[in-house]
Amino acid sequence: MHAYVGVTDGDWFRFLAARGYDEVNFWQPSGGRAFHALEPGEPFLFKTHYRDPAGSCIVGGGLFFAQVELSLSEAWKFFGEANGAPSYEEMFVRIQKYRRAPLSPSDDPKIGCLILEGVRYFSPGEYVSPPPDWAPNIVQGKGYECNLMQDYFHPILSRLRAAPTGGIADFQSISVPSWQGAGPIYGQPHLVRPRLGQGGFQAGVLKAYRFHCAVTGDKIRPVLQAAHIRPVSHGGEHRLDNGLLLRSDVHTLFDRGYLGIDPSSYRLLVSPRLRREFGNGKEFYVRAESRIPIDVPASVADRPSREFLNWHADEVFLAS
């Protein structure tokens, strides 16, 4: 298993720790830099800067979920104060501080977003020194193979498991065996995909569907919405396989049962009541009659669950 130690703004950390957010956006002031250090479910640790009042310390961490490039307005819409700032305006000022090119007040810059779930915050007495090979000139962070530094990472991961959290993601999914004397002590970790909060769900669905509507192909981001197949209010969860990225009007029609998705073929289903009640819906009937499947994510694990689609077909879709 890998871990990543990320250099963390101390004010960002203390703002979030005071509020106890367990889903946060570890943002990067400029988008476009790919992050390949972790797989979903691996730990991302917070290390404060050496100039921070707390000193250079590991102060907490979370489970990495995904990297998504979002506009500032999208990041604020999805995560709000979980971006580590009290307001959109303050976040704009912080981003401006780290960017080389100036921003105008009307700009909506793209930023890199590392979405972390199940975040834990250490109390000051629990802070840990950085890894032994940590170099002072590291600006962003460094990845590690935990099995090669068992003595260092074992206590930290154990502490993360025990630290308080709101419980969206589960550090119990990281297997950290107790000390066993001579021989290997870390063992093979068993990771599960982090359980998502609302912000992670929305950002994750945007990325999984490559920022376009699954039904119409529209790419106008302000009208795209992450739809739950089975709503949370009816027992659904914030899971990518319980999500669809839909244009806002398509989302409304799906939620009200005028549209559905065939669980076996992913073809669009259109209720006859759409034409009967409104005398409209030609673009949807044409697509349904041509038997064109909706555009699903490339990753099989992220595609709509047949279980959830069956629930929608039985409980919501207006078949007649």
Side-chain angles (χ1 to χ4, degrees):
M1 180 176 66
H2 298 90
Y4 186 83
V5 178
V7 177
T8 306
D9 181 90
D11 291 337
W12 177 91
F13 171 80
R14 282 183 285 273
F15 179 88
L16 294 171
R19 291 155 179 79
Y21 289 113
D22 49 13
E23 175 187 66
V24 306
N25 176 19
F26 190 97
W27 52 265
Q28 302 161 315
S30 299
R33 293 196 301 269
F35 181 78
H36 300 298
L38 298 177
E39 294 294 327
E42 292 185 316
F44 186 110
L45 305 179
F46 305 142
K47 191 204 78 70
T48 49
H49 196 275
Y50 73 93
R51 291 193 298 264
D52 189 80
S56 178
C57 300
I58 303 295
V59 294
L63 295 179
F64 174 72
F65 164 58
Q67 180 193 39
V68 185
E69 186 179 77
L70 299 174
S71 66
L72 172 56
S73 61
E74 289 171 331
W76 187 260
K77 176 183 177 182
F78 295 164
F79 298 100
E81 289 189 349
N83 286 293
S87 67
Y88 175 93
E89 291 74 18
E90 176 63 24
M91 187 174 176
F92 184 95
V93 169
R94 293 186 186 182
I95 289 171
Q96 172 68 87
K97 182 176 69 173
Y98 290 108
R99 290 173 73 108
R100 295 178 180 176
L103 296 172
S104 70
S106 61
D107 285 341
D108 190 11
K110 294 289 181 62
I111 60 175
C113 300
L114 302 181
I115 302 169
L116 309 178
E117 305 285 349
V119 174
R120 314 290 177 101
Y121 307 93
F122 296 161
S123 62
E126 298 174 321
Y127 292 171
V128 180
S129 298
D133 65 346
W134 185 268
N137 62 347
I138 295 176
V139 176
Q140 295 182 346
K142 182 178 180 180
Y144 290 89
E145 171 56 62
C146 295
N147 285 337
L148 301 180
M149 298 182 65
Q150 299 174 14
D151 291 346
Y152 178 79
F153 283 105
H154 179 282
I156 293 177
L157 296 184
S158 296
R159 186 169 295 170
L160 284 170
R161 296 176 74 213
T165 183
I168 288 179
D170 186 4
F171 261 101
Q172 299 299 326
S173 64
I174 298 180
S175 174
V176 184
S178 59
W179 297 101
Q180 304 174 35
I185 55 177
Y186 199 85
Q188 291 299 317
H190 172 67
L191 295 177
V192 298
R193 305 183 88 185
R195 290 188 296 244
L196 303 180
Q198 178 67 17
F201 172 77
Q202 293 182 79
V205 169
L206 265 176
K207 181 177 182 179
Y209 284 85
R210 302 175 299 284
F211 300 90
H212 64 262
C213 174
V215 172
T216 67
D218 281 271
K219 298 180 181 180
I220 305 174
R221 285 170 65 161
V223 301
L224 297 179
Q225 299 176 348
H228 290 86
I229 301 170
R230 181 168 185 163
V232 174
S233 60
H234 288 78
E237 299 178 32
H238 299 311
R239 293 171 38 165
L240 294 188
D241 62 352
N242 188 35
L244 293 165
L245 188 63
L246 302 175
R247 198 175 66 195
S248 56
D249 61 326
V250 180
H251 185 181
T252 299
L253 293 173
F254 182 81
D255 283 352
R256 296 187 181 182
Y258 292 102
L259 299 178
I261 307 295
D262 185 282
S264 59
S265 64
Y266 293 130
R267 290 190 297 107
L268 182 68
L269 303 175
V270 185
S271 169
R273 290 177 55 174
L274 182 62
R275 179 182 288 128
R276 189 163 68 240
E277 294 180 15
F278 304 107
N280 208 331
K282 180 179 179 180
E283 68 170 309
F284 304 118
Y285 286 108
V286 168
R287 185 178 184 93
E289 290 165 2
S290 63
R291 305 175 67 84
I292 301 174
I294 67 167
D295 194 0
V296 296
S299 170
V300 174
D302 296 342
R303 293 175 184 173
S305 161
R306 286 178 169 79
E307 174 188 349
F308 300 138
L309 290 175
N310 275 316
W311 180 89
H312 185 272
D314 294 339
E315 302 294 332
V316 180
F317 184 64
L318 304 172
S320 60

